[in-house]
Amino acid sequence: MVVWTDFERTTIRDIFSKIDYAVVGQAAFSRCLIVYPWTQRYFGGFGNLYNAAAITSNPKVASHGKVIMEALEKAVKDMDNIKATYAELSALHSEKLQVDPDNFMLLGDCLTIVVASQLGKAFTAEVHAAFQKFLAVVVSSLRKQYY
Amino acid sequence: MSLSAKDKETVKAFWAKVSGRAGDIGSDAVARMLTVYPQTKTYFSHWKDLSPGSAPVRKHGGIVVASITDAVNKIDDLAGSLLTLSELHAFTLRVDPANFKILAQNILVVLATMFPVDFTPEVHMALDKFLAALARALSEKYR
């Protein structure tokens, strides 16, 4: 059972209320595909991912980035039940999509970098720690249905 | 995942841009590492104060970032130039090498907060590769 401090709850809600899901989603997901190119293996149907410019301007990448952020919002809306919230998504990633779960934190790290660049100084060590904890819980929940 | 000529160029160019704030970068990265990944505090139990902005954190940040700057200048021979530091980390400090990755991620986050426009995905990748190569060189003497 994850225990969230008031500071952590407020911080996570605050971050997600400040960011534009389309912008941050596209930036984080495209960054992941560029910085960790082996993650492209799961997106064969996305068209041109040949180089950074192609990835950055790819409309499927942009729309999938937004999908990811909207899925993360579900966890923000119910922080005490993240494991239950992601049970189906976990099974999907494991059984249908067959994504190596080590990739989840790669995307998490890129999202952290994008949020950090948006918030600048406001992304203090304490805020960063709360965000990292949130991502760790999300990733752990997404790993739950892997056998 | 060795550094291509383009990677080295990218790292050198970016580092030249940011080295004016080297002290802040190092200090913030170490502070963040201790706060966000508290298990790393176990290596600094001899410090009086592990809080962000404290004297030991700032001093250590300065040392770390100075070594990185040195490594950027000797980017063509990381293993050679980091030999002594590797021995220090291997035999005296005995830092688990998994922590190098943690500090690297925190350095990248700090760069993103301070240089959001310049820290493009291409720069991010080159720096990530460079810090990984640095970590490898630092782990050389471990076993």
Side-chain angles (χ1 to χ4, degrees), chain B residues 22-61:
Chain B
D24 288 337
I25 293 170
S27 161
D28 193 356
V30 170
R32 246 169 232 279
M33 179 188 75
L34 298 169
T35 310
V36 181
Y37 303 91
Q39 69 270 26
T40 56
K41 292 197 284 193
T42 56
Y43 291 100
F44 303 100
S45 52
H46 55 287
W47 286 358
K48 282 203 171 72
D49 186 355
L50 283 102
S51 56
S54 71
V57 169
R58 272 200 328 264
K59 179 171 176 228
H60 200 66

Side-chain angles (χ1 to χ4, degrees), chain B residues 105-117:
Chain B
Q105 174 63 12
N106 283 291
I107 291 168
L108 297 176
V109 170
V110 168
L111 294 172
T113 62
M114 290 184 184
F115 306 97
V117 173

